Amino acid sequence: MRAHLNAVRLFLRWCEETGRITNHRDAPLRRLVKAYPPVYGKAQGFRPANRLTQAQYETLTATCDDGTDAGLRDELLIRIGVAAGMRVTELRSLTVGGIRRAPQMRWIGKANKPRSAKAGPALVDLIDRYLARYEQEIGRALTDDMPAFCPAVHSRRPGELRWGHALTTNQGIRLLLVRRSEAAGVGYMAPHDLKRTAARMMHDARTADGAHMFDLLDIADVLDHSNPKVTKDCYIGPLDTTNKDRAAALFG
């Protein structure tokens, strides 16, 4: 309902801006929207949000180590999705130029905003192996505008990729994540669960004395959230379910 109301408001504002209507009264609709608070963390979805632990994440990526081109692509997509906190549309539109200069990765994110992330040594090695295989298959040098992730060949040649072709929809990424998550036994994984997993892994990371390695602002910065409240409500809040119990034990 909230989404529908916001869509109506956006349409009416466009009508007013283009002269199709005059004297648009947005206040009543704005008050109505307040009656439907935002619901975070896919609580309204058919399946609950999935935030993998470090061990589950490694189990998931291990299922990709099957010696096929598709397995190499899937592991790279999963690791980049977590390390860079990418959304599904960003993964689909990622180009070779966005990753070939690793450890620095650059791409265009939500609202056409330039984004960047840094790859660790293991991810850099995986990118190098993937791009080398890519170049070998197409038989020429890669260019920056080529798609990073290519669709798989269907039916008779499972595991092979249509190198040089782009994923045309987000559904391909959804399906590969479902297959890999089922094989790993970690529950249903939606593309945005990669970003949620990044938040959980940073939240769970501890120093030797048990302190958090990343605070809320650190996690918001890595996930490219301009408002830390989004990070707290959508990503960290569902993990901190024992805060009040621990506070009660502390206060006595």
Side-chain angles (χ1 to χ4, degrees), residues 53 71 135 147-148 160 184 195 250:
T53 64
E135 195 166 84
E160 294 187 22
K195 193 165 186 172
L250 173 66

Side-chain angles (χ1 to χ4, degrees), residues 7-250:
V8 169
R9 293 179 63 205
L10 182 63
F11 172 70
L12 291 176
R13 284 200 300 269
W14 174 81
C15 288
E16 184 177 35
E17 291 170 358
T18 56
R20 286 166 171 79
I21 61 174
T22 58
N23 301 322
H24 164 47
R25 296 175 62 244
D26 187 54
L29 284 174
R30 189 169 62 250
R31 287 195 298 270
L32 188 57
V33 167
K34 291 182 179 179
Y36 297 92
V39 181
Y40 296 110
K42 273 182 68 179
Q44 78 279 27
F46 178 71
R47 295 181 176 89
N50 197 356
R51 299 167 175 84
L52 302 186
T53 64
Q54 176 78 36
Q56 289 174 320
Y57 168 67
E58 295 300 339
T59 300
L60 176 64
T61 55
T63 64
C64 303
D65 189 14
D66 55 11
T68 66
D69 291 341
L72 184 63
R73 176 207 61 183
D74 293 356
E75 182 178 0
L76 182 62
L77 185 146
I78 291 169
R79 291 194 179 276
I80 286 181
V82 172
M86 284 191 184
R87 299 170 178 85
V88 62
T89 52
E90 295 170 353
L91 287 168
R92 181 170 59 84
S93 60
L94 187 65
T95 63
V96 168
I99 60 175
R100 74 188 310 177
R101 295 171 183 84
Q104 197 66 34
M105 299 184 290
R106 299 184 184 277
W107 69 98
I108 300 299
K110 188 176 180 180
N112 290 324
K113 179 181 177 183
R115 292 194 59 200
S116 65
K118 190 170 183 179
L123 182 52
V124 170
D125 176 68
L126 183 61
I127 290 172
D128 289 343
R129 288 191 287 117
Y130 177 79
L131 293 181
R133 177 67 179 150
Y134 198 154
E135 195 166 84
Q136 176 186 357
E137 280 298 306
I138 65 173
R140 55 188 174 87
L142 299 174
T143 58
D144 283 353
D145 61 343
M146 296 181 73
F149 298 116
C150 305
V153 173
H154 295 296
S155 64
R156 302 180 195 175
R157 292 179 289 171
E160 294 187 22
L161 298 180
R162 297 174 60 207
W163 296 103
H165 295 265
L167 290 165
T168 55
T169 67
N170 297 339
Q171 187 66 11
I173 296 177
R174 292 191 177 94
L175 291 176
L176 77 85
L177 276 175
V178 169
R179 288 196 298 268
R180 295 299 179 183
S181 60
E182 287 180 348
V186 297
Y188 179 86
M189 283 286 291
H192 206 71
D193 290 332
L194 297 176
K195 193 165 186 172
R196 296 186 181 99
T197 293
R200 176 169 189 173
M201 289 172 61
M202 285 187 284
H203 179 265
D204 289 348
R206 298 291 195 275
T207 61
D209 59 359
H212 283 282
M213 293 180 63
F214 301 90
D215 63 19
L216 178 62
L217 293 180
D218 293 331
I219 298 174
D221 182 56
V222 173
L223 299 183
D224 200 41
H225 291 155
S226 57
N227 184 358
K229 186 178 186 302
V230 174
T231 312
K232 177 182 178 299
D233 291 341
C234 300
Y235 297 85
I236 304 304
L239 302 175
D240 290 333
T241 57
T242 62
N243 282 347
K244 293 184 178 179
D245 293 336
R246 290 186 290 112
L250 173 66

